[in-house]
């Protein structure tokens, strides 16, 4: 970061400056300077400079802030050198480090957190760390005011003040009604990094969120009703509210939003049975239960309170005879029935609710005249009972006894039949040990989740058809006998890679048929779940805390648990499979940074030069890679599939020896990503060019040689070049044909092509030498020939004569002498290869002998010196001399061989 700095100068008197810079170190310095050089001290005090630097919060230790000396344009070559000092060490060293020599400021080990350093700063005020820096020694003294502006970064996620937010909405709320969510999120970051929007994880199709900004710039989310509500259908909605800031990537804050639908009195009571028939015998005892009415109101609380009353149509004496419990709806016999008459009573009962039209039910009471008193049924309860209501746990086993019923007041001549009316897993059986004793018991296990209440009637009937009924209400108590059940045992989720942190995945749903806390479900992740996945214990919202990378792992499979709150707790599990979908976030990658291929020239067209291997870590179309040539496509082509590089035509190294191509690899993603590599094609030389003779330029040219030329004189040279390289361009010269003059008069150097005179010239005339110029190519050397014409004479007096000699054709003596056989000795006759073998053998033996002599002498001298060193314990250097002349001669002969 380039430092931003501002220079400001302050002018003041010396006394004013001493008041301003009231630091202990500065005071001591001023006292010392007053005794030494007071005027210079205060002269330098008269100027103060200010530097402003801007950095981002959260930089790691050692991050560069600014260079004070450079920004002040100080001359660091002065002597004594500058010294930079921080007087407020306790404050400054907590956040910054100062290089005392260079004046460079760096961040210290304590991370600079803008929210901690300036907790009360707003977006307009900013956050500034102020430092005073002294420039010493005294002759250079300056006070530098350094201000470091701390810029905000998005390092804080929004946070709600509470984990669960409750909003109450009446069930009769109108569509588009708005309700403020008062507990809005807080983000200590500023500006765009603060809270920008809110959204719901699940709106259930009946809610949405809107955000309003007040005059102070604070955002408040509002819950908007989009569809009609009904508390009796669903009493509450639980979801997550997400606060999102404007960072890149954005950070999220989450809280549980519980929307409670408050009840409105929009339902009226309804009887479960609108008509009940009761038979009453004239000798029925006072207080006997005749019937129980039951009405239901789906509203809640005071809106669901029901009171029972007789209609005004029921006569007063009838009301007095049959007592109606206003709360329970139980009708009892309150007086004595006339036993000598038959009578019918019609009781009209009203169920009253607040603000409702009463519901109406009719109880028809038939009074039968008594010939003989009916039997009396006396209950004795085994299970818990209160006010005629018996309670039993649903976990009770079959054939659990509930109550004994004893039938009394029976005539010996009359038979009493006692039986049970009502539905449910119950039976009434005679107790085998005693007469007129009956046992009420269960026949099957009870299940609270199927039926919570049973209405039972024990009926005793004698032979005169006199009946007595005893009413019994059975309530089943809930037990934690059901484990939570997931809506889906296998939850499959797909999410694109590079997702922002805290991304919502799904909401797990498990239900428990038990009641109250036994049916409340909380969610946990299994032990195999990676740490990056998080589940809300209450809502079951599953989210991923970090960004996923498909190239790291494509599929995550783990267990989630749903646990109820009963005792003992029960749980169930489901399997979650998270599949990470690919995004085109990886560029094609060549296996090498660049490629170099060596190809022999004249390589056949469309032959494979080399293969460029490229990979793309993405999948599907994002991982498909196509190759293309950015330059040189008129000469080269590349297979898109295999990446094989080919040349359209044969390549000639002599025309161009090196080709540099830029190859682009582009994938099939949207948008497509690409990378480029450089390919160098180096053509290897093939011996496809014979040597070209540049001098002499023509077979018809000639050169004048004086007869008095001494042997060993260089006459001329044959100069040739070869377009090939390497050994293919190494040229050797040899004379293969001679014409005219004395044989062996001239010789040619096989390496340089230099033609020298070997013997005295006694004959005058034209000497013609056919020189073979050959390269060292493999597998077959190529050669050219040239005619070298030498005219031996004192002058050239007759040009036409010489031209006639040049054009005359005559037989010449052919010397099939290879170029690599050197001229080892002068000979008047034809050169023969075989007689040289003894000479070569002798030279080889001589060289080997000399080599072994040198080795032996060296070893002997070393051993002798070593012994002398051990005795005298002195270090001695032994210079060795080699017979250089002999070695050079041997080396030259070996090279010629």
């Amino acid at each position: 970061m380039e430092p931003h700095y501002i220079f400001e100068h302050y002018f003041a008197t010396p006394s004013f400056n001493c008041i301003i810079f009231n630091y202990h170190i500065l005071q001591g310095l001023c006292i010392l300077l007053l005794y030494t050089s007071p005027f210079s001290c205060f002269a330098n005090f008269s100027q103060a400079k200010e530097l402003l630097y801007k950095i981002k919060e959260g930089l790691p230790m050692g991050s560069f802030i600014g260079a004070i000396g450079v920004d002040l344009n100080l001359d660091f070559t002065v002597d004594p050198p500058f010294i930079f000092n921080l007087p407020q060490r306790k404050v400054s060293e907590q956040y910054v480090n100062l290089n005392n020599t260079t004046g460079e400021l760096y961040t210290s080990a304590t991370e600079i957190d803008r929210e901690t350093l300036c907790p009360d700063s707003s977006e307009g005020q900013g956050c500034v760390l102020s430092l005073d820096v002294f420039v010493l020694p005294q002759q250079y003294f300056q006070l530098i005011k350094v201000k470091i502006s701390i810029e905000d970064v998005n390092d804080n996620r929004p946070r709600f003040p509470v984990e669960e937010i409750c909003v109450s909405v009446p069930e009769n709320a109108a569509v588009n009604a708005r309700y403020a969510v008062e507990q809005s999120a807080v983000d200590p970051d500023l500006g765009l990094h603060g809270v920008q929007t809110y959204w719901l994880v699940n709106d259930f199709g009946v809610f949405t969120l809107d955000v309003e900004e007040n005059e102070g710039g604070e955002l408040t989310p509002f819950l908007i009703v989009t569809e009609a509500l009904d508390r009796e259908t669903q009493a509450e909605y639980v979801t997550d509210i997400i606060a999102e800031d404007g960072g890149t990537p954005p950070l999220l804050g989450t809280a549980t939003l519980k929307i409670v639908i408050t009840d409105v009195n929009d339902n009226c009571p309804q009887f479960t049975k609108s008509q009940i028939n009761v038979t009453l015998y004239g000798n029925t005892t006072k207080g006997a239960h005749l019937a129980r009415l039951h009405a239901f109101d789906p509203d809640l609380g005071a809106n669901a309170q029901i009171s029972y009353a007789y209609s005004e149509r029921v006569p007063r004496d009838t009301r007095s005879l049959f007592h109606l419990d206003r709360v329970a709806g139980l009708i009892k016999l309150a007086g004595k029935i006339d036993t000598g008459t038959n009578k019918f009573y019609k009781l009209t009962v009203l169920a009253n609710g607040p603000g409702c039209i009463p519901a109406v039910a009719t109880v028809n009471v038939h009074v039968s005249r008594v010939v003989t008193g009916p039997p009396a049924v006396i209950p004795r309860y085994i299970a818990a009972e209160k006010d005629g209501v018996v309670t039993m746990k649903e976990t009770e086993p079959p054939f659990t006894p509930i109550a004994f019923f004893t039938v009394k007041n029976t005539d010996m001549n009359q038979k009493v039949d006692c039986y049970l009316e009502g539905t449910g897993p119950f039976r009434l059986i005679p107790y085998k040990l005693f007469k007129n004793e009956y046992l009420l018991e269960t026949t099957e296990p009870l299940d609270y989740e199927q039926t919570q209440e049973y209405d039972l009637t024990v009926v005793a009937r004698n032979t005169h058809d006199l009946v007595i009924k005893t009413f019994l209400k059975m309530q089943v108590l809930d037990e934690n006998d059901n484990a939570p059940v997931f809506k889906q045992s296998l939850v499959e989720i797909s999410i694109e890679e590079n997702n922002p942190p805290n991304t919502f995945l799904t909401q797990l749903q498990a239900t428990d048929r038990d009641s109250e806390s036994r049916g409340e479900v909380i969610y946990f992740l299994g032990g195999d779940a990676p740490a990056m996945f998080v589940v809300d214990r209450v809502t079951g919202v599953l989210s991923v805390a970090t960004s996923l990378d498909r190239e790291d792992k494509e599929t995550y499979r783990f267990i989630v648990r749903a646990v109820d709150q009963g005792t003992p707790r029960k749980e169930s599990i489901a399997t979650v499979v998270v599949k990470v979908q690919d995004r085109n976030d990886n560029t094609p990658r060549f296996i090498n940074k660049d490629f170099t291929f060596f190809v022999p020239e004249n390589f056949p067209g469309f032959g494979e030069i080399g293969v460029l291997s490229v990979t793309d870590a993405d999948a599907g179309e994002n991982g498909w890679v196509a190759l293309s040539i950015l330059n040189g496509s008129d000469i080269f082509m590349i297979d898109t599939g295999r990446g094989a590089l080919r040349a359209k035509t044969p390549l000639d190294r002599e025309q161009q020896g090196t080709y540099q191509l830029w190859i682009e690899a582009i994938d099939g993603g949207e948008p497509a990503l690409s990378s480029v590599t450089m390919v160098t094609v180096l053509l290897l030389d093939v011996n496809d060019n014979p040597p070209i003779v540049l001098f002499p330029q023509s077979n018809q040219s000639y050169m004048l040689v004086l007869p008095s030329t001494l042997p060993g004189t260089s006459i001329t040279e044959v100069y040739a070049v070869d377009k090939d390289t390497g050994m293919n361009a190494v040229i050797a010269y040899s004379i293969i044909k001679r014409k005219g003059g004395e044989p062996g008069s001239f010789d040619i150097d096989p390496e340089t092509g230099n033609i020298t005179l070997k013997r005295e010239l006694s004959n005058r005339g034209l000497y013609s030498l056919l020189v073979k110029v050959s390269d060292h190519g493999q597998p077959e050397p190529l050669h050219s020939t040239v005619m070298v014409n030498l005219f031996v004479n004192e002058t050239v007096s007759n040009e036409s004569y010489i031209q006639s000699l040049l054009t005359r054709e005559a037989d010449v003596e052919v010397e099939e002498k290879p170029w690599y056989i050197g001229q080892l000795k002068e000979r008047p006759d034809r050169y023969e290869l075989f007689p040289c073998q003894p000479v070569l053998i002798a030279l080889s033996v001589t060289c080997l002998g000399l080599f072994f002599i040198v080795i032996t002498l060296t070893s002997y001298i070393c051993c002798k010196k070593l012994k002398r060193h051990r005795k005298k314990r002195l270090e001695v250097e032994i210079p060795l001399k080699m017979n250089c002349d002999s070695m050079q001669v041997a080396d030259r002969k070996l090279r010629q061989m």
Side-chain angles (χ1 to χ4, degrees):
M1 177 185 299
E2 295 184 1
H4 303 275
Y5 53 89
I6 302 172
F7 294 100
E8 294 185 6
H9 300 274
Y10 302 94
F11 298 93
T13 62
S15 60
F16 180 75
N17 281 283
C18 288
I19 294 174
I20 293 177
F21 308 120
N22 188 15
Y23 300 106
H24 295 292
I25 298 177
L26 182 59
Q27 288 176 344
L29 183 62
C30 286
I31 294 172
L32 178 63
L33 296 179
L34 283 172
Y35 284 97
T36 56
S37 179
F39 298 103
S40 61
C41 171
F42 285 101
N44 284 296
F45 278 174
S46 62
Q47 289 187 348
K49 296 179 180 178
E50 182 177 280
L51 295 179
L52 175 63
Y53 298 103
K54 292 183 180 180
I55 63 171
K56 294 186 180 296
E57 64 172 327
L59 293 179
M61 176 181 177
S63 298
F64 178 74
I65 299 175
I68 297 176
V70 174
D71 296 335
L72 294 175
N73 296 321
L74 298 181
D75 184 7
F76 284 93
T77 61
V78 297
D79 188 28
F82 290 105
I83 298 175
F84 299 86
N85 189 21
L86 281 171
Q88 319 112 299
R89 291 190 178 275
K90 291 185 179 180
V91 178
S92 59
E93 289 183 352
Q94 182 181 359
Y95 298 107
V96 298
N97 290 329
L98 175 64
N99 189 310
N100 294 334
T101 305
T102 63
E104 294 178 347
L105 280 172
Y106 298 90
T107 56
S108 66
T110 302
E111 183 179 289
I112 299 178
D113 184 17
R114 188 198 62 81
E115 291 75 28
T116 303
L117 186 63
C118 306
D120 300 326
S121 66
S122 62
E123 185 175 2
Q125 295 175 346
C127 180
V128 176
L129 176 64
S130 298
L131 306 172
D132 285 349
V133 178
F134 292 164
V135 181
L136 301 173
Q138 60 89 12
Q139 57 264 42
Y140 313 129
F141 179 80
Q142 294 185 56
L143 173 63
I144 309 302
K145 296 281 188 178
V146 177
K147 292 185 178 181
I148 303 175
S149 177
I150 312 301
E151 296 182 347
D152 185 47
V153 298
N154 192 28
D155 58 343
N156 292 280
R157 64 178 66 254
R159 294 188 182 276
F160 287 91
V162 294
E163 294 184 357
E164 183 176 276
I165 303 172
C166 290
V167 177
S168 297
V169 179
E171 62 177 327
N172 63 347
V175 176
N176 294 327
R178 303 165 68 87
Y179 298 89
V181 181
E182 298 296 341
Q183 294 90 348
S184 57
V186 177
D187 193 328
D189 293 325
L190 298 178
L192 187 63
H193 297 156
V195 178
Q196 298 297 314
T197 186
Y198 293 85
W199 46 277
L200 295 176
V201 172
N202 186 2
D203 58 11
F204 302 99
V206 295
F207 300 104
T208 187
L209 269 187
D210 189 19
V211 181
E212 291 186 2
E213 184 176 358
N214 60 16
E215 295 179 356
E218 296 180 352
L219 300 180
T220 302
F222 279 80
L223 185 70
I224 301 177
V225 180
T226 59
E227 296 291 340
L229 303 174
D230 186 5
R231 189 204 65 82
E232 289 71 36
T233 303
Q234 187 164 349
E236 69 177 18
Y237 299 86
V238 179
T239 182
D240 278 359
I241 182 171
I242 308 297
E244 180 178 326
D245 64 20
T248 304
L251 300 179
L252 308 178
T254 307
T256 300
L257 179 64
K258 180 183 282 188
I259 306 170
V260 179
I261 309 302
T262 58
D263 186 52
V264 175
N265 190 25
D266 56 348
N267 292 281
C268 290
Q270 295 291 331
F271 280 104
T272 56
K273 291 183 180 180
S274 61
Q275 183 171 335
I276 300 174
N277 295 317
V278 177
T279 301
L280 180 65
Y281 296 97
N283 60 348
T284 302
T285 58
K286 182 181 178 180
H289 295 186
L290 301 183
R292 182 186 295 272
L293 297 168
H294 182 66
F296 174 73
D297 190 330
D299 289 330
L300 194 65
N303 296 328
Q305 291 182 357
I306 300 173
S307 63
Y308 300 92
Y310 283 123
S311 171
E312 294 296 331
R313 297 177 183 179
V314 180
R316 181 170 298 179
D317 57 347
T318 303
R319 298 183 196 177
S320 301
L321 182 60
F322 301 101
H323 177 266
L324 173 62
D325 190 313
R326 296 178 60 85
V327 177
L330 179 64
I331 299 176
K332 298 179 182 180
L333 183 61
K336 188 175 181 181
I337 300 296
D338 186 358
T339 59
T341 61
N342 286 331
K343 197 171 183 180
F344 171 76
Y345 295 94
K346 183 177 182 181
L347 307 177
T348 303
V349 181
L350 304 178
N352 296 302
C356 290
I357 298 174
V360 180
T362 303
V363 179
N364 298 318
V365 181
H366 300 272
V367 179
S368 298
R369 197 168 73 179
V370 178
V371 178
T372 304
V377 179
I378 301 175
R380 289 172 293 169
Y381 295 100
I382 301 172
E385 181 269 341
K386 184 179 181 180
D387 296 333
V389 179
V390 179
T391 57
M392 287 189 67
K393 296 180 180 180
E394 63 175 330
T395 55
E396 296 289 350
F399 309 112
T400 298
I402 300 172
F404 271 111
F405 291 90
T406 302
V407 180
K408 292 185 177 182
N409 300 331
T410 59
D411 191 345
M412 297 295 294
N413 297 323
Q414 290 185 3
K415 181 182 179 182
V416 177
D417 186 15
C418 191
Y419 58 89
L420 185 67
E421 286 184 351
T423 59
F426 306 97
R427 70 179 182 178
L428 183 68
I429 59 175
Y431 194 61
K432 57 185 177 180
L433 299 180
F434 302 97
K435 185 179 180 181
N436 294 331
E437 295 283 352
Y438 295 87
L439 176 65
L440 177 64
E441 64 181 7
T442 60
T443 59
E444 296 177 3
L446 303 178
D447 191 353
Y448 172 87
E449 287 70 37
Q450 291 184 357
T451 307
Q452 290 84 36
E453 289 185 354
Y454 297 91
D455 289 322
L456 304 176
T457 305
V458 178
V459 181
R461 185 188 299 272
N462 64 8
T463 53
H464 295 292
D465 204 21
L466 297 177
V467 177
I468 186 70
K469 294 184 178 181
T470 301
F471 298 100
L472 181 67
K473 181 180 285 292
M474 172 67 69
Q475 287 185 348
V476 183
L477 300 180
D478 188 31
E479 292 287 320
N480 192 32
D481 59 340
N482 290 281
V485 178
F486 277 98
K487 187 176 181 180
Q488 293 177 295
S489 60
L490 177 63
V491 181
E492 294 183 331
I493 306 168
S494 295
I495 180 175
E496 282 192 343
E497 62 176 332
N498 303 329
N499 58 284
N502 301 317
T503 298
F504 170 81
L505 296 179
T506 187
Q507 186 171 20
L508 303 173
Q509 294 182 352
T511 57
D512 194 319
R513 298 174 61 193
D514 293 323
S515 62
E516 299 179 352
S517 63
R518 294 174 291 272
E520 295 179 1
V521 181
I522 57 177
Y523 301 89
F524 298 94
L525 294 177
D528 59 341
M532 65 188 68
F533 294 99
V534 180
V535 65
D536 189 288
R537 296 179 58 179
V538 178
T539 63
V541 171
L542 181 65
S543 58
V544 57
T546 60
S547 180
L548 299 178
D549 188 355
R550 188 203 66 84
E551 288 71 39
D552 288 342
K553 192 171 184 179
E554 187 171 0
T555 303
Y556 297 88
R557 188 183 188 95
F558 54 90
I559 299 298
V560 291
R561 300 162 49 221
V563 183
D564 63 22
Q565 301 298 297
T567 304
R569 293 190 176 188
K570 294 183 178 292
E571 68 175 60
S572 61
I573 62 173
T575 301
V576 176
V577 178
V578 180
K579 296 182 178 179
V580 184
Q581 302 295 325
D582 186 56
R583 295 182 67 180
N584 193 29
D585 59 341
N586 289 278
T587 58
R589 179 175 297 179
F590 291 93
I591 61 171
N592 296 329
K593 185 178 180 181
D594 49 44
F595 294 83
T596 301
F597 298 117
F598 295 90
V599 182
E601 63 175 332
N602 303 325
F603 193 71
F606 299 99
E608 185 177 295
I609 295 174
V611 176
L612 281 72
S613 298
V614 61
T615 60
D616 194 316
D618 293 323
E621 293 184 359
N622 295 333
W624 295 350
V625 179
L627 299 176
S628 61
I629 302 175
L630 300 180
N631 63 324
S633 58
D634 54 339
I635 301 176
F636 296 92
M637 61 178 294
I638 192 167
D639 295 344
T640 301
R642 288 186 59 241
L645 181 66
R646 307 174 188 275
K648 297 179 181 178
T649 59
L651 304 177
D652 189 358
R653 188 204 61 81
E654 285 73 35
Q655 292 184 1
Q656 185 172 343
T658 303
Y659 294 88
Q660 286 188 338
L661 308 177
W662 292 99
I663 307 298
E664 181 184 37
I666 185 169
D667 60 24
E670 183 62 38
L673 301 177
S674 63
S675 61
V676 177
T677 187
M678 186 179 74
V679 176
T680 302
V681 180
L682 298 176
L683 297 182
L684 301 177
D685 186 50
V686 174
N687 192 28
D688 57 346
N689 291 281
I692 299 174
V693 178
L694 301 180
F695 185 83
Q697 298 179 354
S698 170
N699 288 337
Q700 299 298 316
S701 63
Y702 68 95
M703 182 176 179
L704 178 65
V705 180
L706 299 177
S708 60
T709 303
L710 298 177
T713 302
S714 175
I715 305 302
T716 186
E717 68 172 347
V718 177
Y719 180 71
V721 295
D722 196 316
K723 293 182 179 180
D724 296 322
T725 60
M727 295 303 295
N728 296 332
V730 176
I731 298 175
Y733 302 88
S734 61
I735 300 174
I736 58 173
K737 290 184 180 180
R738 301 174 185 268
K739 178 181 178 182
E742 300 174 0
S745 299
F746 297 93
D747 198 3
I748 189 169
D749 190 299
E751 295 180 359
T752 63
N754 190 28
I755 298 177
T756 58
L757 179 64
K758 299 300 293 182
R759 60 179 60 182
E760 294 182 357
L761 298 174
S762 56
N763 296 330
R764 289 170 171 74
L766 184 64
Y767 292 71
S768 297
L769 307 177
L770 183 59
V771 177
K772 177 180 179 182
V773 183
S774 177
D775 59 26
H776 283 60
Q778 295 293 333
E780 186 70 27
L782 301 179
H783 68 275
S784 301
T785 58
V786 65
M787 186 68 75
V788 179
N789 300 302
L790 303 175
F791 185 67
V792 181
N793 201 7
E794 286 78 4
T795 60
V796 179
S797 58
N798 192 346
E799 184 74 25
S800 59
Y801 171 71
I802 297 175
Q803 291 297 328
S804 64
L805 292 178
L806 293 175
T807 56
R808 186 184 306 167
E809 293 183 1
D811 293 336
V812 297
E813 179 185 3
V814 178
E815 296 183 1
E816 293 297 336
K817 180 177 63 174
W819 61 269
Y820 50 81
I821 302 299
Q823 305 288 333
L824 297 180
K825 60 180 181 179
E826 293 294 339
R827 56 199 180 280
D829 300 326
R830 291 184 54 180
Y831 174 80
E832 293 181 357
L833 180 62
F834 181 76
C836 291
Q837 287 183 355
V839 176
L840 293 176
I841 293 173
L843 287 173
S844 300
V845 172
T846 302
C847 291
L848 288 174
L850 290 174
F851 177 77
F852 283 114
I853 289 171
V854 171
I855 295 297
T856 302
L857 289 174
T858 304
S859 301
Y860 172 76
I861 294 172
C862 289
C863 292
K864 190 172 181 180
K865 294 293 183 180
L866 183 59
K867 290 180 180 180
R868 186 181 303 169
H869 172 72
R870 289 176 179 176
K871 291 179 181 180
K872 296 182 178 181
R873 298 185 178 271
L874 298 174
E875 294 181 0
V876 179
E877 265 188 44
I878 303 175
L880 301 178
K881 279 191 176 182
M882 297 177 61
N883 191 344
C884 297
D885 297 338
S886 299
M887 291 298 293
Q888 290 179 359
V889 172
D891 182 71
R892 188 182 301 111
K893 293 182 178 181
L894 286 174
R895 184 169 55 82
Q896 291 178 356
M897 290 173 58

